[in-house]
Amino acid sequence: KAYSKIELARAAGVSGETFRRWLRSDKAVLEEHHVGPKTKILPPKVVRYLCEKYDIEIEVKQEIAGKNELFAQNSCICALF
């Protein structure tokens, strides 16, 4: 799932400025996915990469057996998407 930079910063428990600093250190990887400083929404592959690198937990709703349940795991659950 795609996330905004601010959503991912909140999930990581850091300020927007700290998150932007992290992104600057990953400039080469982000450029490969056409993500620049002004990009607001991060594509799923970039979200997965950042979750794994910075150990960010995100919560995602998943449909299981007809029931909506909330999941969060240490390794980025977004890797399922």
Side-chain angles (χ1 to χ4, degrees):
K1 177 180 172 186
Y3 281 83
S4 72
K5 289 178 181 177
I6 195 67
E7 287 175 316
L8 215 47
R10 286 183 187 140
V14 298
S15 70
E17 181 56 40
T18 297
F19 192 73
R20 284 189 292 278
R21 199 173 312 123
W22 289 0
L23 295 180
R24 281 194 298 268
S25 71
D26 291 307
K27 184 178 177 180
V29 173
L30 297 175
E31 285 177 346
E32 289 176 18
H33 295 284
H34 309 289
V35 173
K38 294 186 180 186
T39 304
K40 294 186 187 286
I41 304 296
L42 300 170
K45 286 184 179 182
V46 172
V47 172
R48 184 179 321 118
Y49 167 79
L50 294 170
C51 286
E52 290 172 358
K53 180 172 182 181
Y54 295 105
D55 197 26
I56 301 171
E57 293 182 18
I58 59 174
E59 295 178 346
V60 210
K61 287 187 177 179
Q62 238 182 4
E63 192 72 25
I64 294 189
K67 295 181 181 178
N68 241 349
E69 296 184 24
L70 193 61
F71 290 88
Q73 294 182 356
N74 285 338
S75 60
C76 182
I77 197 165
C78 59
L80 299 173
F81 295 89

Coordinates of all heavy atoms in Angstrom, one line a residue:
K1 N 0.8 -1.2 0.0 CA 0.0 0.0 0.0 C 0.9 1.2 0.0 O 1.9 1.3 0.7 CB -0.9 0.0 1.2 CG -1.8 1.2 1.4 CD -2.6 1.1 2.6 CE -3.3 2.4 2.8 NZ -4.0 2.5 4.0
A2 N 0.5 2.2 -0.7 CA 1.2 3.5 -0.7 C 0.9 4.3 0.5 O -0.2 4.2 1.1 CB 0.8 4.3 -2.0
Y3 N 1.8 5.0 1.0 CA 1.7 5.9 2.2 C 2.3 7.3 1.9 O 3.2 7.4 1.2 CB 2.4 5.3 3.4 CG 1.7 4.2 4.1 CD1 1.8 2.9 3.6 CD2 0.9 4.4 5.2 CE1 1.1 1.8 4.2 CE2 0.3 3.3 5.8 CZ 0.4 2.1 5.3 OH -0.3 1.0 5.9
S4 N 1.7 8.3 2.6 CA 2.3 9.6 2.5 C 3.6 9.6 3.4 O 3.7 8.8 4.3 CB 1.4 10.7 3.0 OG 1.2 10.6 4.4
K5 N 4.5 10.5 3.1 CA 5.7 10.6 3.9 C 5.3 10.9 5.4 O 5.9 10.3 6.3 CB 6.6 11.7 3.4 CG 7.2 11.4 2.1 CD 8.1 12.5 1.6 CE 8.7 12.2 0.2 NZ 9.5 13.3 -0.3
I6 N 4.3 11.7 5.6 CA 4.0 12.1 7.0 C 3.4 10.9 7.7 O 3.6 10.7 8.9 CB 3.1 13.3 7.1 CG1 3.0 13.9 8.5 CG2 1.7 13.1 6.6 CD1 4.3 14.4 9.0
E7 N 2.6 10.0 7.0 CA 2.0 8.8 7.6 C 3.1 7.9 8.1 O 3.1 7.3 9.2 CB 1.1 8.1 6.7 CG -0.2 8.8 6.4 CD -1.0 8.0 5.3 OE1 -0.4 7.7 4.3 OE2 -2.2 7.9 5.5
L8 N 4.1 7.7 7.2 CA 5.2 6.8 7.5 C 6.1 7.4 8.6 O 6.5 6.6 9.5 CB 6.0 6.5 6.3 CG 6.6 5.1 6.1 CD1 5.6 4.0 6.4 CD2 7.3 4.9 4.8
A9 N 6.3 8.7 8.7 CA 7.0 9.3 9.8 C 6.3 9.1 11.1 O 7.0 8.7 12.1 CB 7.2 10.8 9.5
R10 N 5.0 9.3 11.1 CA 4.3 9.0 12.3 C 4.4 7.6 12.8 O 4.5 7.3 14.0 CB 2.8 9.4 12.1 CG 2.6 10.9 12.1 CD 1.1 11.2 11.9 NE 0.9 12.6 11.7 CZ 0.0 13.1 10.9 NH1 -0.8 12.4 10.2 NH2 -0.1 14.4 10.8
A11 N 4.3 6.6 11.8 CA 4.4 5.2 12.2 C 5.8 4.9 12.7 O 5.9 4.0 13.6 CB 4.1 4.4 10.9
A12 N 6.8 5.6 12.3 CA 8.2 5.4 12.7 C 8.4 6.1 14.1 O 9.4 5.9 14.8 CB 9.2 6.0 11.7
G13 N 7.5 7.0 14.4 CA 7.6 7.8 15.7 C 8.6 8.9 15.7 O 9.2 9.2 16.7
V14 N 8.8 9.4 14.5 CA 9.8 10.5 14.3 C 9.2 11.7 13.7 O 8.1 11.6 13.1 CB 11.0 10.1 13.4 CG1 11.8 8.9 14.1 CG2 10.6 9.7 12.0
S15 N 9.8 12.9 13.8 CA 9.3 14.1 13.2 C 9.5 14.0 11.7 O 10.2 13.2 11.1 CB 10.1 15.3 13.7 OG 11.4 15.3 13.2
G16 N 8.8 14.9 11.0 CA 8.9 15.0 9.6 C 10.3 15.3 9.1 O 10.8 14.8 8.1
E17 N 11.0 16.2 9.9 CA 12.3 16.6 9.5 C 13.3 15.4 9.7 O 14.1 15.2 8.8 CB 12.8 17.7 10.4 CG 14.2 18.2 10.1 CD 14.4 18.6 8.6 OE1 13.5 19.2 8.1 OE2 15.5 18.3 8.1
T18 N 13.1 14.6 10.7 CA 14.0 13.4 10.9 C 13.7 12.4 9.8 O 14.7 11.9 9.2 CB 13.7 12.7 12.2 OG1 14.1 13.6 13.3 CG2 14.5 11.4 12.4
F19 N 12.5 12.3 9.4 CA 12.1 11.3 8.3 C 12.7 11.8 7.0 O 13.3 11.0 6.2 CB 10.6 11.2 8.2 CG 10.2 10.1 7.3 CD1 10.3 8.7 7.7 CD2 9.6 10.3 6.1 CE1 10.0 7.7 6.9 CE2 9.3 9.3 5.2 CZ 9.4 8.0 5.7
R20 N 12.7 13.1 6.7 CA 13.3 13.7 5.5 C 14.8 13.4 5.5 O 15.4 13.1 4.5 CB 12.9 15.1 5.4 CG 11.5 15.4 4.9 CD 11.2 16.8 4.6 NE 11.3 17.7 5.7 CZ 10.2 17.9 6.6 NH1 9.1 17.3 6.4 NH2 10.4 18.7 7.6
R21 N 15.4 13.5 6.7 CA 16.8 13.3 6.8 C 17.1 11.8 6.4 O 18.1 11.5 5.7 CB 17.3 13.6 8.2 CG 18.8 13.8 8.3 CD 19.2 14.2 9.7 NE 18.4 15.3 10.2 CZ 17.7 15.3 11.4 NH1 17.8 14.3 12.2 NH2 17.0 16.4 11.8
W22 N 16.3 10.9 6.9 CA 16.4 9.5 6.5 C 16.3 9.3 5.0 O 17.1 8.6 4.4 CB 15.3 8.6 7.2 CG 15.5 8.5 8.7 CD1 16.4 9.0 9.5 CD2 14.5 7.7 9.5 NE1 16.2 8.6 10.8 CE2 15.0 7.8 10.8 CE3 13.4 7.0 9.3 CZ2 14.4 7.3 11.9 CZ3 12.7 6.5 10.3 CH2 13.2 6.6 11.6
L23 N 15.3 10.0 4.4 CA 15.1 9.8 3.0 C 16.3 10.4 2.2 O 16.7 9.8 1.2 CB 13.8 10.5 2.6 CG 12.5 10.0 3.1 CD1 11.4 10.8 2.6 CD2 12.4 8.5 2.8
R24 N 16.9 11.5 2.7 CA 18.1 12.0 2.0 C 19.2 11.0 2.0 O 20.0 10.9 1.0 CB 18.6 13.3 2.7 CG 17.7 14.5 2.3 CD 18.4 15.8 2.6 NE 18.5 16.0 4.1 CZ 17.6 16.6 4.9 NH1 16.5 17.0 4.4 NH2 17.9 16.7 6.2
S25 N 19.4 10.2 3.1 CA 20.4 9.2 3.1 C 20.2 8.0 2.2 O 21.1 7.3 1.9 CB 20.6 8.7 4.6 OG 19.6 7.9 5.0
D26 N 18.9 7.9 1.7 CA 18.6 6.8 0.8 C 18.2 7.4 -0.6 O 17.5 6.8 -1.4 CB 17.3 6.1 1.3 CG 17.6 5.3 2.5 OD1 18.6 4.5 2.5 OD2 16.9 5.5 3.6
K27 N 18.9 8.5 -0.9 CA 18.6 9.2 -2.2 C 18.7 8.3 -3.4 O 17.8 8.3 -4.3 CB 19.5 10.4 -2.3 CG 19.2 11.3 -3.5 CD 20.1 12.5 -3.6 CE 19.8 13.3 -4.8 NZ 20.7 14.4 -5.0
A28 N 19.7 7.5 -3.5 CA 20.0 6.7 -4.7 C 18.8 5.7 -4.9 O 18.3 5.5 -6.0 CB 21.3 6.0 -4.6
V29 N 18.5 5.0 -3.8 CA 17.4 4.0 -3.9 C 16.1 4.7 -4.3 O 15.3 4.2 -5.1 CB 17.2 3.3 -2.5 CG1 16.0 2.4 -2.5 CG2 18.5 2.5 -2.2
L30 N 15.8 5.8 -3.7 CA 14.5 6.5 -3.9 C 14.5 7.0 -5.4 O 13.4 6.9 -6.0 CB 14.3 7.7 -3.0 CG 14.2 7.3 -1.5 CD1 14.2 8.5 -0.6 CD2 13.0 6.4 -1.3
E31 N 15.6 7.5 -5.9 CA 15.6 7.9 -7.3 C 15.3 6.8 -8.3 O 14.7 7.0 -9.3 CB 16.9 8.6 -7.6 CG 17.1 10.0 -7.0 CD 18.4 10.6 -7.3 OE1 19.4 9.9 -7.7 OE2 18.5 11.8 -7.0
E32 N 15.7 5.6 -7.9 CA 15.5 4.4 -8.8 C 14.0 4.2 -8.9 O 13.5 3.7 -9.9 CB 16.1 3.2 -8.2 CG 17.6 3.1 -8.3 CD 18.1 1.9 -7.6 OE1 17.4 0.9 -7.4 OE2 19.3 1.9 -7.3
H33 N 13.2 4.6 -7.9 CA 11.7 4.5 -7.9 C 11.0 5.8 -8.2 O 9.8 5.9 -7.9 CB 11.3 3.9 -6.6 CG 11.8 2.5 -6.3 ND1 11.3 1.4 -6.9 CD2 12.8 2.1 -5.6 CE1 11.9 0.3 -6.6 NE2 12.9 0.7 -5.7
H34 N 11.8 6.8 -8.7 CA 11.2 8.1 -9.1 C 10.6 8.8 -8.0 O 9.6 9.4 -8.1 CB 10.2 7.9 -10.3 CG 10.8 7.1 -11.4 ND1 11.7 7.6 -12.3 CD2 10.5 5.8 -11.8 CE1 12.1 6.7 -13.1 NE2 11.3 5.6 -12.9
V35 N 11.2 8.7 -6.8 CA 10.8 9.4 -5.6 C 11.8 10.5 -5.3 O 13.0 10.3 -5.1 CB 10.7 8.5 -4.4 CG1 10.4 9.3 -3.1 CG2 9.6 7.4 -4.6
G36 N 11.3 11.8 -5.4 CA 12.1 12.9 -5.1 C 11.7 13.6 -3.8 O 10.7 13.2 -3.2
P37 N 12.4 14.7 -3.5 CA 12.0 15.5 -2.3 C 10.6 16.0 -2.3 O 10.0 16.1 -1.2 CB 13.0 16.6 -2.3 CG 14.1 16.2 -3.2 CD 13.5 15.3 -4.2
K38 N 10.0 16.3 -3.4 CA 8.7 16.8 -3.5 C 7.6 15.8 -3.6 O 6.4 16.1 -3.6 CB 8.6 17.8 -4.6 CG 9.4 19.1 -4.4 CD 9.2 20.1 -5.4 CE 10.1 21.3 -5.1 NZ 9.8 22.4 -6.0
T39 N 8.0 14.5 -3.7 CA 7.0 13.4 -3.8 C 6.3 13.3 -2.5 O 7.0 13.2 -1.4 CB 7.7 12.1 -4.1 OG1 8.4 12.3 -5.4 CG2 6.7 11.0 -4.3
K40 N 5.0 13.3 -2.5 CA 4.2 13.3 -1.2 C 3.8 11.8 -0.9 O 3.8 11.4 0.3 CB 3.0 14.2 -1.3 CG 3.3 15.6 -1.4 CD 2.1 16.5 -1.3 CE 2.4 17.9 -1.6 NZ 3.1 18.6 -0.5
I41 N 3.5 11.1 -1.9 CA 3.0 9.7 -1.7 C 4.1 8.7 -2.1 O 4.6 8.8 -3.2 CB 1.7 9.4 -2.5 CG1 0.6 10.4 -2.1 CG2 1.2 8.0 -2.2 CD1 0.2 10.3 -0.7
L42 N 4.5 7.8 -1.2 CA 5.5 6.8 -1.5 C 4.9 5.6 -2.0 O 3.9 5.0 -1.4 CB 6.3 6.5 -0.2 CG 7.0 7.7 0.5 CD1 7.5 7.3 1.8 CD2 8.1 8.2 -0.4
P43 N 5.4 5.0 -3.1 CA 4.9 3.8 -3.7 C 5.1 2.6 -2.8 O 6.1 2.6 -2.0 CB 5.6 3.7 -5.0 CG 6.8 4.6 -5.0 CD 6.5 5.6 -3.9
P44 N 4.3 1.6 -2.9 CA 4.4 0.4 -2.1 C 5.8 -0.2 -1.9 O 6.3 -0.6 -0.9 CB 3.5 -0.6 -2.7 CG 2.5 0.2 -3.3 CD 3.2 1.4 -3.9
K45 N 6.6 -0.3 -3.0 CA 7.9 -0.8 -3.0 C 8.9 0.0 -2.1 O 9.7 -0.5 -1.4 CB 8.5 -1.0 -4.4 CG 8.0 -2.1 -5.2 CD 8.6 -2.2 -6.5 CE 8.0 -3.4 -7.3 NZ 8.7 -3.6 -8.6
V46 N 8.7 1.3 -2.2 CA 9.5 2.2 -1.3 C 9.1 2.1 0.1 O 9.9 2.1 1.0 CB 9.4 3.7 -1.9 CG1 10.1 4.6 -0.9 CG2 10.0 3.8 -3.2
V47 N 7.8 2.0 0.4 CA 7.3 1.8 1.7 C 7.9 0.6 2.3 O 8.4 0.5 3.5 CB 5.7 1.8 1.8 CG1 5.2 1.4 3.1 CG2 5.2 3.1 1.3
R48 N 7.8 -0.5 1.6 CA 8.4 -1.8 2.0 C 9.9 -1.7 2.4 O 10.3 -2.1 3.4 CB 8.2 -2.9 1.0 CG 8.6 -4.3 1.4 CD 8.4 -5.4 0.4 NE 7.1 -5.2 -0.4 CZ 7.1 -5.0 -1.7 NH1 8.2 -5.0 -2.4 NH2 5.9 -4.9 -2.3
Y49 N 10.6 -1.0 1.5 CA 12.1 -0.9 1.7 C 12.3 -0.1 3.0 O 13.1 -0.5 3.8 CB 12.7 -0.1 0.5 CG 14.1 0.4 0.7 CD1 15.2 -0.5 0.7 CD2 14.3 1.7 1.1 CE1 16.4 0.0 0.9 CE2 15.6 2.2 1.3 CZ 16.6 1.3 1.3 OH 17.9 1.8 1.5
L50 N 11.6 1.0 3.2 CA 11.8 1.9 4.3 C 11.4 1.2 5.6 O 12.0 1.3 6.7 CB 11.1 3.2 4.2 CG 11.6 4.1 3.1 CD1 10.7 5.3 2.8 CD2 13.0 4.6 3.4
C51 N 10.3 0.4 5.6 CA 9.8 -0.3 6.7 C 10.9 -1.3 7.2 O 11.1 -1.5 8.4 CB 8.5 -1.1 6.4 SG 7.1 0.0 6.4
E52 N 11.4 -2.0 6.2 CA 12.5 -3.0 6.5 C 13.7 -2.4 7.0 O 14.3 -2.8 8.0 CB 12.7 -3.9 5.3 CG 11.6 -4.8 5.0 CD 11.7 -5.5 3.6 OE1 12.8 -5.3 2.9 OE2 10.8 -6.3 3.3
K53 N 14.2 -1.3 6.4 CA 15.4 -0.7 6.8 C 15.4 0.0 8.2 O 16.3 -0.1 9.0 CB 15.8 0.4 5.7 CG 17.1 1.1 6.1 CD 17.7 2.0 5.1 CE 19.0 2.6 5.5 NZ 19.6 3.4 4.6
Y54 N 14.2 0.7 8.4 CA 14.1 1.4 9.7 C 13.2 0.8 10.7 O 12.9 1.4 11.7 CB 13.6 2.9 9.4 CG 14.6 3.6 8.6 CD1 14.4 3.9 7.2 CD2 15.8 4.1 9.1 CE1 15.3 4.6 6.4 CE2 16.7 4.8 8.3 CZ 16.5 5.0 7.0 OH 17.4 5.7 6.3
D55 N 12.9 -0.5 10.5 CA 12.1 -1.3 11.4 C 10.8 -0.5 11.8 O 10.5 -0.4 13.0 CB 12.9 -1.7 12.6 CG 12.2 -2.8 13.4 OD1 11.5 -3.6 12.8 OD2 12.5 -2.9 14.6
I56 N 10.1 -0.1 10.8 CA 8.8 0.7 11.0 C 7.6 -0.3 11.0 O 7.5 -1.1 10.1 CB 8.6 1.7 9.9 CG1 9.8 2.7 9.9 CG2 7.3 2.4 10.1 CD1 9.7 3.6 8.7
E57 N 6.8 -0.3 12.0 CA 5.6 -1.1 12.1 C 4.5 -0.3 11.6 O 4.3 0.9 12.0 CB 5.3 -1.5 13.6 CG 6.3 -2.4 14.2 CD 6.0 -2.8 15.6 OE1 4.8 -2.6 16.0 OE2 6.8 -3.2 16.3
I58 N 3.7 -0.9 10.7 CA 2.5 -0.2 10.2 C 1.3 -1.1 10.4 O 1.5 -2.3 10.5 CB 2.6 0.2 8.7 CG1 2.9 -0.9 7.8 CG2 3.7 1.3 8.5 CD1 2.9 -0.6 6.4
E59 N 0.2 -0.5 10.5 CA -1.0 -1.3 10.7 C -1.8 -1.3 9.4 O -2.0 -0.3 8.8 CB -1.9 -0.7 11.8 CG -1.2 -0.8 13.2 CD -2.0 -0.2 14.3 OE1 -3.0 0.5 14.0 OE2 -1.7 -0.4 15.4
V60 N -2.3 -2.5 9.0 CA -3.1 -2.6 7.8 C -4.3 -3.4 8.1 O -4.3 -4.4 8.8 CB -2.3 -3.3 6.7 CG1 -2.7 -2.8 5.3 CG2 -0.8 -3.3 6.9
K61 N -5.4 -3.0 7.5 CA -6.6 -3.8 7.6 C -6.6 -4.9 6.5 O -6.3 -4.6 5.4 CB -7.9 -3.0 7.5 CG -8.1 -2.1 8.7 CD -9.4 -1.4 8.6 CE -9.7 -0.6 9.9 NZ -10.9 0.1 9.8
Q62 N -6.9 -6.1 6.9 CA -6.9 -7.2 5.9 C -8.2 -8.0 6.1 O -8.7 -8.2 7.2 CB -5.7 -8.2 6.3 CG -4.8 -8.4 5.2 CD -3.7 -9.3 5.6 OE1 -3.7 -9.9 6.6 NE2 -2.7 -9.5 4.7
E63 N -8.7 -8.4 5.0 CA -10.0 -9.2 5.0 C -9.6 -10.6 5.1 O -8.9 -11.2 4.3 CB -10.7 -9.0 3.6 CG -12.1 -9.5 3.6 CD -13.1 -8.6 4.5 OE1 -12.8 -7.4 4.7 OE2 -14.1 -9.2 4.9
I64 N -10.1 -11.3 6.2 CA -9.8 -12.7 6.5 C -11.1 -13.4 6.8 O -11.8 -13.0 7.8 CB -8.8 -12.9 7.6 CG1 -7.4 -12.3 7.2 CG2 -8.7 -14.3 8.0 CD1 -6.3 -12.6 8.1
A65 N -11.4 -14.4 6.0 CA -12.6 -15.2 6.2 C -13.9 -14.3 6.4 O -14.7 -14.5 7.3 CB -12.4 -16.1 7.4
G66 N -13.9 -13.2 5.7 CA -15.1 -12.4 5.7 C -15.1 -11.4 6.9 O -16.1 -10.7 7.1
K67 N -14.0 -11.3 7.7 CA -14.0 -10.5 8.9 C -12.8 -9.5 8.7 O -11.7 -9.8 8.2 CB -13.7 -11.2 10.2 CG -14.8 -12.2 10.5 CD -14.5 -12.9 11.8 CE -15.7 -13.9 12.2 NZ -15.4 -14.6 13.4
N68 N -13.1 -8.2 9.1 CA -12.0 -7.2 9.0 C -11.2 -7.3 10.3 O -11.8 -7.2 11.4 CB -12.6 -5.8 8.9 CG -12.2 -5.1 7.7 OD1 -11.3 -5.5 7.0 ND2 -12.9 -4.0 7.4
E69 N -9.9 -7.5 10.2 CA -9.1 -7.6 11.4 C -7.9 -6.7 11.2 O -7.4 -6.5 10.1 CB -8.6 -9.0 11.7 CG -9.8 -9.9 12.0 CD -9.4 -11.3 12.3 OE1 -8.2 -11.5 12.8 OE2 -10.2 -12.3 12.1
L70 N -7.4 -6.2 12.3 CA -6.2 -5.3 12.3 C -5.0 -6.0 12.7 O -4.9 -6.8 13.6 CB -6.5 -4.1 13.3 CG -5.6 -2.9 13.2 CD1 -5.7 -2.3 11.8 CD2 -5.9 -1.9 14.2
F71 N -3.9 -5.9 11.8 CA -2.7 -6.6 12.1 C -1.5 -5.6 12.1 O -1.5 -4.6 11.4 CB -2.4 -7.5 10.9 CG -3.3 -8.7 10.9 CD1 -4.5 -8.7 10.2 CD2 -3.0 -9.9 11.5 CE1 -5.3 -9.7 10.1 CE2 -3.8 -11.0 11.5 CZ -5.0 -10.9 10.8
A72 N -0.5 -5.9 13.0 CA 0.7 -5.1 13.0 C 1.8 -6.1 13.3 O 1.7 -7.0 14.2 CB 0.7 -4.0 14.0
Q73 N 2.9 -6.1 12.6 CA 4.0 -7.0 12.8 C 5.3 -6.2 12.8 O 5.4 -5.1 12.2 CB 4.1 -8.0 11.7 CG 2.9 -9.0 11.7 CD 3.0 -10.1 10.7 OE1 4.0 -10.1 9.9 NE2 2.1 -11.0 10.7
N74 N 6.3 -6.7 13.4 CA 7.6 -6.1 13.4 C 8.2 -5.9 12.1 O 8.7 -4.8 11.7 CB 8.6 -6.8 14.3 CG 8.3 -6.6 15.8 OD1 7.7 -5.7 16.2 ND2 8.8 -7.6 16.6
S75 N 8.2 -6.9 11.2 CA 8.7 -6.8 9.9 C 7.6 -6.3 9.1 O 6.5 -6.8 9.1 CB 9.3 -8.1 9.3 OG 8.3 -9.0 9.3
C76 N 7.8 -5.3 8.3 CA 6.8 -4.5 7.6 C 5.7 -5.4 6.9 O 6.0 -6.2 6.0 CB 7.4 -3.7 6.5 SG 6.3 -2.7 5.6
I77 N 4.5 -5.4 7.5 CA 3.4 -6.2 6.9 C 3.0 -5.8 5.5 O 2.4 -6.5 4.8 CB 2.2 -6.1 7.9 CG1 1.2 -7.3 7.5 CG2 1.5 -4.8 7.8 CD1 0.2 -7.6 8.6
C78 N 3.5 -4.5 5.1 CA 3.1 -4.1 3.8 C 3.8 -4.9 2.7 O 3.4 -4.9 1.6 CB 3.5 -2.6 3.6 SG 5.2 -2.3 3.9
A79 N 4.8 -5.8 3.1 CA 5.4 -6.6 2.2 C 4.4 -7.6 1.5 O 4.7 -8.2 0.5 CB 6.6 -7.4 2.8
L80 N 3.3 -7.8 2.2 CA 2.3 -8.7 1.7 C 1.6 -8.1 0.4 O 0.9 -8.9 -0.3 CB 1.2 -9.0 2.7 CG 1.7 -9.7 4.0 CD1 0.6 -9.7 5.0 CD2 2.3 -11.0 3.7
F81 N 1.7 -6.8 0.2 CA 0.9 -6.2 -0.9 C 1.8 -6.0 -2.1 O 2.9 -5.7 -2.1 CB 0.4 -4.8 -0.4 CG -0.6 -5.0 0.7 CD1 -0.2 -5.0 2.0 CD2 -1.9 -5.1 0.4 CE1 -1.1 -5.2 3.0 CE2 -2.9 -5.3 1.4 CZ -2.4 -5.3 2.7

